[in-house]
């Protein structure tokens, strides 16, 4: 549940920041009349994301066991790739996200209403599709459709509140540090999702080694115990992983975490700055 809360919070906060920056910029530049197409693009992005999640859920229910495992494993690997790209992208762009969005908005305003709808749609839609995919894979990994969804919804709700506070100018935090440390936690969560995806592909007979266990501590950490459930919900922990799962988990987590936490060269000369959305006047 915590992992999905983190996904909902981080992805939702990205979307909320994008929206509040776009709205504040339109208000400050005297383009209030363009708020309606902006919100239309946001609404379409949310609807497409929900439809994508529903398609994954209901479409996979008609598949055979092996086909479902193959789909789940493939999408788990894809979602890990997307989340990994997302955390590195936000780590690199958090400092100049505001100016980048304003440049895109200026170009959209010059082209007309349709361009503004498309700009807001793509600005929010990417996070929405990533969230839907990652939550779906988390649901498959935990075999629990309630807690992952509740965790994600709580994270999204918190991100909306934070976005509103940014817009009102009541909250200022160092976004670079925020996305850095939440990104590090997401790398750990993604490693667990990747390991589970490998297990799905093994059950689909697409990868070997399904019965070659690295260890089995099911008696020490029963999967149905409260702590076993907690570890599975947060880290996708499995008490009896295969050798291939452990190898892939290690080969992903160690280098990605080391590279992600390594200081950027540009930061040696730049001082961290608190970032907040401009207040509408």
């Amino acid at each position: 549940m915590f992992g999905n809360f983190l996904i909902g919070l981080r992805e939702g906060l990205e979307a909320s920041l994008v929206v509040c920056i776009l709205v504040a910029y339109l208000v400050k530049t005297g383009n209030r009349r363009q708020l309606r197409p902006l919100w239309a693009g946001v609404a379409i992005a949310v609807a497409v994301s929900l439809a994508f999640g529903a398609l994954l859920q209901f479409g996979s229910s008609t598949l055979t066991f092996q086909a479902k495992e193959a789909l789940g494993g493939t999408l788990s690997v894809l979602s890990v790739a997307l989340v990994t790209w997302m955390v590195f992208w936000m780590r690199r762009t958090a400092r100049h996200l505001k100016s980048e969005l304003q440049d895109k908005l200026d170009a959209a305003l010059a082209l007309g209403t349709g361009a503004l709808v498309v700009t807001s749609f793509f600005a929010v839609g990417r996070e929405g599709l990533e969230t839907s995919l990652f939550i779906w894979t988390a649901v498959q990994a935990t075999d629990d459709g309630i807690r992952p969804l509740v965790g994600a919804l709580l994270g999204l709700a918190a991100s909306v509140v934070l976005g509103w506070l940014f817009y009102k100018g009541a909250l200022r935090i160092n976004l670079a540090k925020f996305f850095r440390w939440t990104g590090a936690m997401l790398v750990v969560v993604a490693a667990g999702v990747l390991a589970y995806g490998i297990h799905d592909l093994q059950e689909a007979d697409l990868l070997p080694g399904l019965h070659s266990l690295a260890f089995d501590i099911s008696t020490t950490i029963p999967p149905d115990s409260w702590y076993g459930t907690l570890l599975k919900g947060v880290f996708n922990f499995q008490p009896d992983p295969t050798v291939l799962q452990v190898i892939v988990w290690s080969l992903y987590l160690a280098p990605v975490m080391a590279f992600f936490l390594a200081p950027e060269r540009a930061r040696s000369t730049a001082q961290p700055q608190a970032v907040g959305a401009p207040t509408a006047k």
Side-chain angles (χ1 to χ4, degrees):
M1 183 172 177
F2 174 76
N4 292 281
F5 172 82
L6 192 61
I7 284 289
L9 175 63
R10 185 187 172 94
E11 294 282 359
L13 186 57
E14 284 186 42
S16 295
L17 286 174
V18 166
V19 172
C20 75
I21 289 172
L22 295 179
V23 169
Y25 188 65
L26 287 177
V27 172
K28 286 189 68 175
T29 56
N31 288 287
R32 285 181 177 272
R33 66 186 183 280
Q34 299 295 347
L35 288 176
R36 184 171 295 180
L38 184 145
W39 286 115
V42 171
I44 294 171
V46 172
V48 170
S49 300
L50 292 174
F52 179 61
L55 178 63
L56 288 174
Q57 180 61 33
F58 296 111
S60 63
S61 63
T62 62
L63 300 176
T64 64
F65 173 78
Q66 282 194 324
K68 188 174 182 178
E69 295 301 297
L71 176 64
T74 302
L75 291 180
S76 292
V77 174
L78 176 60
S79 68
V80 169
L82 288 174
V83 168
T84 304
W85 173 83
M86 177 265 294
V87 296
F88 279 98
W89 176 82
M90 182 52 73
R91 177 177 182 259
R92 185 179 67 253
T93 61
R95 292 177 179 275
H96 51 85
L97 178 64
K98 177 181 171 183
S99 60
E100 181 179 311
L101 286 172
Q102 289 176 349
D103 289 342
K104 290 182 179 178
L105 191 56
D106 284 337
L109 286 170
L111 292 175
T113 300
L116 185 59
V117 173
V118 172
T119 298
S120 59
F121 169 78
F122 280 110
V124 176
R126 179 177 60 84
E127 281 80 12
L129 293 176
E130 288 176 358
T131 303
S132 295
L133 179 57
F134 206 82
I135 291 174
W136 184 83
T137 56
V139 169
Q140 304 309 305
T142 58
D143 294 322
D144 182 355
I146 301 299
R147 279 177 291 188
L149 185 59
V150 170
L153 290 176
L154 289 175
L156 290 171
S159 71
V160 171
V161 173
L162 289 174
W164 182 79
L165 291 175
F166 273 118
Y167 178 76
K168 291 298 183 180
L171 183 63
R172 295 177 65 86
I173 64 173
N174 189 313
L175 290 180
K177 287 186 177 180
F178 174 84
F179 285 119
R180 180 178 176 84
W181 293 112
T182 56
M185 289 186 283
L186 277 181
V187 169
V188 177
V189 173
V193 172
L194 179 60
Y196 197 89
I198 295 300
H199 187 267
D200 279 350
L201 294 176
Q202 288 178 310
E203 288 193 323
D205 292 330
L206 296 178
L207 291 176
L210 178 61
H211 303 292
S212 299
L213 300 183
F215 54 83
D216 188 350
I217 54 174
S218 300
T219 55
T220 305
I221 307 179
D224 56 352
S225 64
W226 69 267
Y227 45 92
T229 302
L230 179 64
L231 289 172
K232 187 174 183 65
V234 176
F235 302 111
N236 282 291
F237 173 79
Q238 185 178 340
D240 54 347
T242 65
V243 173
L244 184 59
Q245 281 182 277
V246 173
I247 291 174
V248 171
W249 182 86
S250 302
L251 290 177
Y252 171 84
L253 182 62
V256 171
M257 184 66 79
F259 187 63
F260 181 76
L261 294 179
E264 295 179 271
R265 293 180 181 178
R267 293 187 180 188
S268 61
T269 57
Q271 294 295 325
Q273 297 179 351
V275 179
T279 305
K281 294 182 180 180

